[in-house]
Amino acid sequence: MKIELIPAIDIIGGRCVRLMQGDYERQKVYDEDPVAVALRLETLGFSRLHVVDLDGAKSKHVVNDGILKEITRATRLKVDFGGGVKTSEDMEKVFEAGAQMVTVGSVAVTNPDLLRQWGDRYGADRCILGADVRNGKVAINGWTEDSEQELIPFLRPFVKWGFTNILCTDIDKDGTLQGPAVKLYKEIMNEFPHIHLIASGGISGNADIELLESEGIPAVVFGKAFYEGKINVKGLGL
């Protein structure tokens, strides 16, 4: 497959979990050991990994950098890390723990100039702009709050500043296994054809990934479908 395949590990309380539509009250534990999961993903042939610090997203500061460090030491996976990255100290902590890229969402809404400074300091190519959408508006702080920002206008200045890695999650689809928001992703790509858009939310199996690829979406994140055995890894052509 040409589409970039990015499995996700979401962490709460040191365990690998998935939420339903971003709801912390609807979580399912899939493994007690995120590091073991990362090793298994590497063995299967994946080269990328998306790690989400759900504890950090909720508490508004990075919490699980220790687990991140264990994963980056134990594997050769290219890891991007998101959740709770609010300050320059958080950014330093995550990069020092071995992440090669950092996903930033809430700060992009609340303090865009700070994210622009991080792009200048670390390289915009090492910063993934997290644009998580609910009812057409960008959500922040672990999806616990909705902003008034419409998606396309929100993205426009960041693309102009050189941020080309954009992770977009349709929150209403996340964890539902009901298929990805193809129409939304096509709208984004039509507006910004040169970006590296990472689709997230709703993946139910290989057919959804193939659909995104056929529509020209550059990358996809998936979690629940993998953990529940709905993705045929051999069929991904790793």
Side-chain angles (χ1 to χ4, degrees):
M1 284 189 168
K2 294 180 181 178
I3 190 170
E4 187 176 27
L5 304 167
I6 312 174
I9 292 177
D10 293 3
I11 302 170
I12 291 180
R15 300 182 295 182
C16 178
V17 308
R18 296 298 292 177
L19 304 182
M20 175 69 80
Q21 298 175 318
D23 187 347
Y24 281 75
E25 298 302 316
R26 291 189 291 167
Q27 63 177 267
K28 184 174 180 178
V29 177
Y30 284 100
D31 202 292
E32 296 288 335
D33 186 353
V35 181
V37 175
L39 285 164
R40 187 161 75 246
L41 290 166
E42 184 177 43
T43 300
L44 289 170
F46 292 102
S47 58
R48 274 288 304 273
L49 177 63
H50 177 57
V51 175
V52 183
D53 183 354
L54 290 173
D55 294 311
K58 196 171 187 179
S59 60
K60 302 183 182 181
H61 63 87
V62 171
V63 173
N64 288 300
D65 53 305
I67 293 175
L68 168 65
K69 186 179 292 185
E70 290 181 47
I71 289 173
T72 59
R73 285 180 174 176
T75 74
R76 295 181 180 179
L77 294 167
K78 181 179 180 181
V79 180
D80 75 81
F81 180 96
V85 180
K86 307 292 187 188
T87 65
S88 296
E89 288 76 16
D90 287 323
M91 285 288 281
E92 283 292 323
K93 189 182 289 188
V94 171
F95 280 128
E96 286 175 4
Q100 290 179 266
M101 305 174 82
V102 178
T103 300
V104 180
S106 302
V107 166
V109 175
T110 61
N111 192 351
D113 287 339
L114 180 58
L115 179 52
R116 189 177 185 181
Q117 291 172 25
W118 291 345
D120 291 340
R121 179 174 179 180
Y122 300 104
D125 59 325
R126 298 189 74 193
C127 300
I128 299 174
L129 175 59
D132 303 323
V133 183
R134 180 164 42 213
N135 300 321
K137 302 286 182 70
V138 179
I140 60 174
N141 295 326
W143 304 346
T144 60
E145 302 171 35
D146 293 329
S147 74
E148 292 303 312
Q149 296 261 25
E150 296 281 351
L151 179 62
I152 297 298
F154 165 72
L155 294 176
R156 197 166 283 125
F158 292 102
V159 174
K160 184 178 179 181
W161 294 336
F163 291 87
T164 56
N165 294 298
I166 296 173
L167 171 66
C168 183
T169 302
D170 185 322
I171 297 169
D172 289 332
K173 288 184 174 291
D174 192 66
T176 66
L177 301 176
Q178 293 179 354
V182 177
K183 181 182 177 183
L184 172 66
Y185 302 133
K186 287 175 69 175
E187 288 174 2
I188 297 170
M189 291 302 300
N190 286 338
E191 187 75 25
F192 311 109
H194 67 286
I195 67 169
H196 189 73
L197 177 65
I198 306 167
S200 172
I203 300 300
S204 65
N206 293 48
D208 286 336
I209 297 172
E210 292 164 6
L211 174 60
L212 289 169
E213 183 178 50
S214 72
E215 295 291 352
I217 308 305
V220 58
V221 165
F222 48 86
K224 188 173 184 177
F226 170 77
Y227 294 115
E228 300 206 348
K230 297 181 182 298
I231 288 179
N232 174 6
V233 176
K234 289 185 178 180
L236 295 176
L238 294 168

